[in-house]
Amino acid sequence: MDFYTGLGTKITVENAAASGVGYSAPWITAIHRGWVAGAKENTLPAMWLTKENGYDWAECDIRFTADDVPVLAHNTTVVSEDGATSLTVSDSTLEQLQSVTLQTHTRFGAIGVPTLKEVLDLARLIGLGLLLDCKDSLFDTDHNKILAHTVLQS
């Protein structure tokens, strides 16, 4: 079994054992908010690049829009690449949030705010496990139902 450190260094069970590092399975290595060295955090390209760079899991942050759609966002606000637009996730509709360009990427083009469903569909397609960090819905029964339905339907 091989895995990579955050700096891209490949570590195998054999060289870990040779260095005196203990081996205790099972474990997973999840990239926090996706591969942010190559794309904006919590976006579809960040998730794609996580898998492309040898990781099998990514952590992503979930928040709900004003129209109760789960989207990926770490902070309570989403800010455009040029800084001209700043929207509070919970006060904005999905349509408003998806009009914001978070990053213009040379490979992926304009990157926006993805829905949880889009990320789940991508993860299934590329074989990426997801650790979902639900930021603001711990005690919101309606949001928990929406979240469960979204995950189960993907």
Side-chain angles (χ1 to χ4, degrees):
M1 174 184 291
D2 298 337
F3 68 97
Y4 295 83
T5 68
L7 300 175
T9 305
K10 184 176 180 179
I11 297 178
T12 65
V13 171
E14 293 77 21
N15 70 20
S19 69
V21 175
Y23 174 71
S24 172
W27 70 70
I28 63 167
T29 303
I31 299 301
H32 191 236
R33 303 181 201 159
W35 190 263
V36 298
K40 183 74 173 172
E41 68 183 29
N42 282 313
T43 61
L44 293 174
M47 300 304 147
W48 179 274
L49 291 170
T50 296
K51 186 66 177 182
E52 193 173 89
N53 281 281
Y55 290 91
D56 291 323
W57 287 82
E59 177 268 352
C60 53
D61 302 305
I62 312 300
R63 293 191 181 275
F64 280 83
T65 64
D67 47 352
D68 294 323
V69 178
V71 296
L72 269 64
H74 174 74
N75 296 319
T76 57
T77 57
V78 169
V79 180
S80 63
E81 179 177 37
D82 62 7
T85 304
S86 177
L87 298 174
T88 301
V89 176
S90 61
D91 293 339
S92 304
T93 65
L94 177 62
E95 182 178 0
Q96 291 170 318
L97 289 171
Q98 289 192 324
S99 71
V100 175
T101 298
L102 302 175
Q103 179 185 21
T104 304
H105 196 278
T106 55
R107 180 174 166 195
F108 298 103
I111 299 173
V113 177
T115 65
L116 175 59
K117 179 172 181 359
E118 291 170 330
V119 173
L120 291 169
D121 289 346
L122 174 65
R124 183 179 305 281
L125 177 70
I126 64 175
L128 180 67
L130 296 174
L131 172 64
L132 307 179
D133 182 356
C134 304
K135 291 298 194 184
D136 55 5
S137 60
L138 182 61
F139 301 108
D140 187 320
T141 305
D142 291 335
H143 281 175
N144 286 329
K145 287 178 184 176
I146 293 167
L147 187 63
H149 178 76
T150 303
V151 170
L152 292 172
Q153 294 301 312
S154 291

